[in-house]
Structure formats: C-alpha cells, structure tokens
Amino acid sequence: LLDRPTVRRAGFATGSADPVALDPGLARGMVAALAACTAYEAMLATTAHTRFERKHQVRVPTTVVFGDRDWILPAPNQRRELAPDHCTWLVIPRCGHAPMWDAPEQTLQLVAETVREAEGDGA
C-alpha cells in the first residue's frame, strides 16, 4: 500500500512536508520499525509531561533543527529557552518534523558540521 502516493500522504502528513515524495521503501521501513518498537507509547506518555531542564549540563556543540512545516512540534511548542545557550538553532524551509526525510543532504551536512566542531573542541 505504501507504494501509493495517497497512502503515504495520509500516513506521513504530520512528519513530512511532502509525504508523497517519500521513497516507498523508506515509508515501509518506518512502518516496520514502528510496528516492532516496544517502547514508543511509553516514550510518548513520558515526554508529553516532561521538559528538558538540564541545558546547563550540555557541554558539547549542539544543533537544534526544526522544519518550518513541523506539525508535530509547531513553532509555538519549540522552546528555544530550554536549549543550551551555545546551541545553533535552525529552522529548515519546506521541511516537516523529520528533516532527514525532507532535507536529507542538509541534515547530513549539519550532522557532519556539528561532529567536526565537537572534534575540534575535543568533545
């Protein structure tokens, strides 16, 4: 079914800005991973009532990325004040909740840059 664009649109609309463009194989992998996951519901229940409050303990280079079309964590829920003061905060245009789906090359570049910065800092 995930080969059908309408099914990907319905199934991934909250995670991707363009779910029809998602590779059907990626979509099948995501569905299989979610089906096999044993802790997803517990994670959702815990994070629904928890905030990250240890930003002062984060000593490594940090990049926080959101998509401008993130319907899971929309802009009003993106709490920059909870992020480490030294972090890079980035909003990617035309991107949903999962930047690795909608902007895979940019996501890889951001990860590589953050790792290089951490290695340079001896982190």
PDB file of all heavy atoms in Angstrom, residues 60-64 88 108-121:
ATOM      1  N   VAL A  60      28.836  19.929  24.872  1.00  0.00           N
ATOM      2  CA  VAL A  60      29.281  19.651  23.505  1.00  0.00           C
ATOM      3  C   VAL A  60      28.539  20.562  22.527  1.00  0.00           C
ATOM      4  O   VAL A  60      27.460  21.065  22.822  1.00  0.00           O
ATOM      5  CB  VAL A  60      29.038  18.175  23.131  1.00  0.00           C
ATOM      6  CG1 VAL A  60      29.866  17.261  24.010  1.00  0.00           C
ATOM      7  CG2 VAL A  60      27.558  17.827  23.216  1.00  0.00           C
ATOM      8  N   PRO A  61      29.133  20.782  21.345  1.00  0.00           N
ATOM      9  CA  PRO A  61      28.420  21.543  20.321  1.00  0.00           C
ATOM     10  C   PRO A  61      27.061  20.894  20.039  1.00  0.00           C
ATOM     11  O   PRO A  61      26.945  19.668  19.969  1.00  0.00           O
ATOM     12  CB  PRO A  61      29.333  21.462  19.106  1.00  0.00           C
ATOM     13  CG  PRO A  61      30.692  21.234  19.681  1.00  0.00           C
ATOM     14  CD  PRO A  61      30.466  20.382  20.895  1.00  0.00           C
ATOM     15  N   THR A  62      26.054  21.706  19.900  1.00  0.00           N
ATOM     16  CA  THR A  62      24.691  21.216  19.761  1.00  0.00           C
ATOM     17  C   THR A  62      23.968  21.995  18.675  1.00  0.00           C
ATOM     18  O   THR A  62      24.067  23.218  18.626  1.00  0.00           O
ATOM     19  CB  THR A  62      23.927  21.374  21.096  1.00  0.00           C
ATOM     20  OG1 THR A  62      24.670  20.730  22.127  1.00  0.00           O
ATOM     21  CG2 THR A  62      22.537  20.797  21.018  1.00  0.00           C
ATOM     22  N   THR A  63      23.257  21.283  17.835  1.00  0.00           N
ATOM     23  CA  THR A  63      22.428  21.910  16.812  1.00  0.00           C
ATOM     24  C   THR A  63      21.005  21.413  16.990  1.00  0.00           C
ATOM     25  O   THR A  63      20.769  20.209  17.033  1.00  0.00           O
ATOM     26  CB  THR A  63      22.929  21.568  15.404  1.00  0.00           C
ATOM     27  OG1 THR A  63      24.299  21.974  15.285  1.00  0.00           O
ATOM     28  CG2 THR A  63      22.101  22.266  14.339  1.00  0.00           C
ATOM     29  N   VAL A  64      20.072  22.334  17.103  1.00  0.00           N
ATOM     30  CA  VAL A  64      18.655  22.006  17.215  1.00  0.00           C
ATOM     31  C   VAL A  64      18.011  22.416  15.890  1.00  0.00           C
ATOM     32  O   VAL A  64      18.159  23.550  15.456  1.00  0.00           O
ATOM     33  CB  VAL A  64      17.990  22.746  18.392  1.00  0.00           C
ATOM     34  CG1 VAL A  64      16.500  22.464  18.432  1.00  0.00           C
ATOM     35  CG2 VAL A  64      18.654  22.352  19.715  1.00  0.00           C
ATOM     36  N   THR A  88      23.256  25.971  18.170  1.00  0.00           N
ATOM     37  CA  THR A  88      22.803  26.541  16.907  1.00  0.00           C
ATOM     38  C   THR A  88      21.358  26.127  16.737  1.00  0.00           C
ATOM     39  O   THR A  88      21.030  24.941  16.838  1.00  0.00           O
ATOM     40  CB  THR A  88      23.650  25.992  15.738  1.00  0.00           C
ATOM     41  OG1 THR A  88      25.013  26.356  15.956  1.00  0.00           O
ATOM     42  CG2 THR A  88      23.167  26.531  14.408  1.00  0.00           C
ATOM     43  N   LEU A 108      22.494  15.678   6.695  1.00  0.00           N
ATOM     44  CA  LEU A 108      23.826  15.069   6.761  1.00  0.00           C
ATOM     45  C   LEU A 108      24.904  16.130   6.938  1.00  0.00           C
ATOM     46  O   LEU A 108      25.839  15.955   7.726  1.00  0.00           O
ATOM     47  CB  LEU A 108      24.104  14.256   5.501  1.00  0.00           C
ATOM     48  CG  LEU A 108      23.403  12.910   5.405  1.00  0.00           C
ATOM     49  CD1 LEU A 108      23.589  12.311   4.019  1.00  0.00           C
ATOM     50  CD2 LEU A 108      23.906  11.966   6.474  1.00  0.00           C
ATOM     51  N   GLN A 109      24.782  17.228   6.220  1.00  0.00           N
ATOM     52  CA  GLN A 109      25.758  18.312   6.328  1.00  0.00           C
ATOM     53  C   GLN A 109      25.763  18.897   7.745  1.00  0.00           C
ATOM     54  O   GLN A 109      26.830  19.133   8.317  1.00  0.00           O
ATOM     55  CB  GLN A 109      25.451  19.407   5.312  1.00  0.00           C
ATOM     56  CG  GLN A 109      26.421  20.559   5.348  1.00  0.00           C
ATOM     57  CD  GLN A 109      26.039  21.648   4.341  1.00  0.00           C
ATOM     58  OE1 GLN A 109      25.070  21.539   3.610  1.00  0.00           O
ATOM     59  NE2 GLN A 109      26.821  22.708   4.327  1.00  0.00           N
ATOM     60  N   LEU A 110      24.597  19.100   8.326  1.00  0.00           N
ATOM     61  CA  LEU A 110      24.514  19.648   9.691  1.00  0.00           C
ATOM     62  C   LEU A 110      25.125  18.699  10.712  1.00  0.00           C
ATOM     63  O   LEU A 110      25.834  19.124  11.628  1.00  0.00           O
ATOM     64  CB  LEU A 110      23.063  19.954  10.055  1.00  0.00           C
ATOM     65  CG  LEU A 110      22.440  21.124   9.321  1.00  0.00           C
ATOM     66  CD1 LEU A 110      20.930  21.137   9.535  1.00  0.00           C
ATOM     67  CD2 LEU A 110      23.064  22.433   9.794  1.00  0.00           C
ATOM     68  N   VAL A 111      24.851  17.403  10.558  1.00  0.00           N
ATOM     69  CA  VAL A 111      25.440  16.413  11.473  1.00  0.00           C
ATOM     70  C   VAL A 111      26.961  16.437  11.335  1.00  0.00           C
ATOM     71  O   VAL A 111      27.690  16.475  12.332  1.00  0.00           O
ATOM     72  CB  VAL A 111      24.869  15.006  11.218  1.00  0.00           C
ATOM     73  CG1 VAL A 111      25.657  13.952  11.983  1.00  0.00           C
ATOM     74  CG2 VAL A 111      23.395  14.953  11.594  1.00  0.00           C
ATOM     75  N   ALA A 112      27.454  16.421  10.102  1.00  0.00           N
ATOM     76  CA  ALA A 112      28.905  16.426   9.874  1.00  0.00           C
ATOM     77  C   ALA A 112      29.552  17.678  10.455  1.00  0.00           C
ATOM     78  O   ALA A 112      30.611  17.604  11.090  1.00  0.00           O
ATOM     79  CB  ALA A 112      29.205  16.309   8.379  1.00  0.00           C
ATOM     80  N   GLU A 113      28.925  18.840  10.266  1.00  0.00           N
ATOM     81  CA  GLU A 113      29.472  20.096  10.807  1.00  0.00           C
ATOM     82  C   GLU A 113      29.517  20.070  12.328  1.00  0.00           C
ATOM     83  O   GLU A 113      30.498  20.503  12.939  1.00  0.00           O
ATOM     84  CB  GLU A 113      28.631  21.282  10.335  1.00  0.00           C
ATOM     85  CG  GLU A 113      28.804  21.604   8.866  1.00  0.00           C
ATOM     86  CD  GLU A 113      27.799  22.656   8.380  1.00  0.00           C
ATOM     87  OE1 GLU A 113      26.993  23.172   9.199  1.00  0.00           O
ATOM     88  OE2 GLU A 113      27.815  22.942   7.168  1.00  0.00           O
ATOM     89  N   THR A 114      28.464  19.558  12.940  1.00  0.00           N
ATOM     90  CA  THR A 114      28.414  19.505  14.406  1.00  0.00           C
ATOM     91  C   THR A 114      29.467  18.540  14.939  1.00  0.00           C
ATOM     92  O   THR A 114      30.132  18.826  15.942  1.00  0.00           O
ATOM     93  CB  THR A 114      26.995  19.130  14.875  1.00  0.00           C
ATOM     94  OG1 THR A 114      26.057  20.074  14.347  1.00  0.00           O
ATOM     95  CG2 THR A 114      26.900  19.138  16.401  1.00  0.00           C
ATOM     96  N   VAL A 115      29.634  17.407  14.270  1.00  0.00           N
ATOM     97  CA  VAL A 115      30.665  16.441  14.689  1.00  0.00           C
ATOM     98  C   VAL A 115      32.054  17.051  14.542  1.00  0.00           C
ATOM     99  O   VAL A 115      32.895  16.932  15.445  1.00  0.00           O
ATOM    100  CB  VAL A 115      30.537  15.124  13.896  1.00  0.00           C
ATOM    101  CG1 VAL A 115      31.738  14.223  14.112  1.00  0.00           C
ATOM    102  CG2 VAL A 115      29.258  14.405  14.289  1.00  0.00           C
ATOM    103  N   ARG A 116      32.313  17.714  13.418  1.00  0.00           N
ATOM    104  CA  ARG A 116      33.620  18.360  13.232  1.00  0.00           C
ATOM    105  C   ARG A 116      33.883  19.396  14.316  1.00  0.00           C
ATOM    106  O   ARG A 116      34.986  19.490  14.856  1.00  0.00           O
ATOM    107  CB  ARG A 116      33.722  19.013  11.849  1.00  0.00           C
ATOM    108  CG  ARG A 116      34.075  18.058  10.739  1.00  0.00           C
ATOM    109  CD  ARG A 116      34.477  18.770   9.455  1.00  0.00           C
ATOM    110  NE  ARG A 116      33.430  19.630   8.932  1.00  0.00           N
ATOM    111  CZ  ARG A 116      32.443  19.224   8.123  1.00  0.00           C
ATOM    112  NH1 ARG A 116      32.384  17.959   7.758  1.00  0.00           N
ATOM    113  NH2 ARG A 116      31.547  20.071   7.684  1.00  0.00           N
ATOM    114  N   GLU A 117      32.867  20.156  14.658  1.00  0.00           N
ATOM    115  CA  GLU A 117      33.019  21.162  15.724  1.00  0.00           C
ATOM    116  C   GLU A 117      33.323  20.487  17.051  1.00  0.00           C
ATOM    117  O   GLU A 117      34.179  20.939  17.807  1.00  0.00           O
ATOM    118  CB  GLU A 117      31.749  22.008  15.838  1.00  0.00           C
ATOM    119  CG  GLU A 117      31.864  23.147  16.808  1.00  0.00           C
ATOM    120  CD  GLU A 117      30.586  23.973  16.910  1.00  0.00           C
ATOM    121  OE1 GLU A 117      29.709  23.867  16.047  1.00  0.00           O
ATOM    122  OE2 GLU A 117      30.475  24.738  17.892  1.00  0.00           O
ATOM    123  N   ALA A 118      32.637  19.392  17.326  1.00  0.00           N
ATOM    124  CA  ALA A 118      32.876  18.659  18.581  1.00  0.00           C
ATOM    125  C   ALA A 118      34.281  18.093  18.614  1.00  0.00           C
ATOM    126  O   ALA A 118      34.969  18.167  19.637  1.00  0.00           O
ATOM    127  CB  ALA A 118      31.851  17.542  18.740  1.00  0.00           C
ATOM    128  N   GLU A 119      34.730  17.554  17.488  1.00  0.00           N
ATOM    129  CA  GLU A 119      36.094  17.000  17.435  1.00  0.00           C
ATOM    130  C   GLU A 119      37.130  18.103  17.611  1.00  0.00           C
ATOM    131  O   GLU A 119      38.144  17.907  18.288  1.00  0.00           O
ATOM    132  CB  GLU A 119      36.309  16.267  16.108  1.00  0.00           C
ATOM    133  CG  GLU A 119      35.513  14.990  16.009  1.00  0.00           C
ATOM    134  CD  GLU A 119      35.578  14.342  14.636  1.00  0.00           C
ATOM    135  OE1 GLU A 119      35.895  15.034  13.644  1.00  0.00           O
ATOM    136  OE2 GLU A 119      35.297  13.140  14.569  1.00  0.00           O
ATOM    137  N   GLY A 120      36.871  19.261  17.039  1.00  0.00           N
ATOM    138  CA  GLY A 120      37.787  20.394  17.178  1.00  0.00           C
ATOM    139  C   GLY A 120      37.857  20.913  18.600  1.00  0.00           C
ATOM    140  O   GLY A 120      38.891  21.410  19.044  1.00  0.00           O
ATOM    141  N   ASP A 121      36.742  20.776  19.335  1.00  0.00           N
ATOM    142  CA  ASP A 121      36.699  21.214  20.731  1.00  0.00           C
ATOM    143  C   ASP A 121      37.206  20.140  21.678  1.00  0.00           C
ATOM    144  O   ASP A 121      37.280  20.356  22.882  1.00  0.00           O
ATOM    145  CB  ASP A 121      35.258  21.569  21.144  1.00  0.00           C
ATOM    146  CG  ASP A 121      34.752  22.834  20.501  1.00  0.00           C
ATOM    147  OD1 ASP A 121      35.561  23.571  19.901  1.00  0.00           O
ATOM    148  OD2 ASP A 121      33.539  23.098  20.606  1.00  0.00           O
TER     149      ASP A 121
END
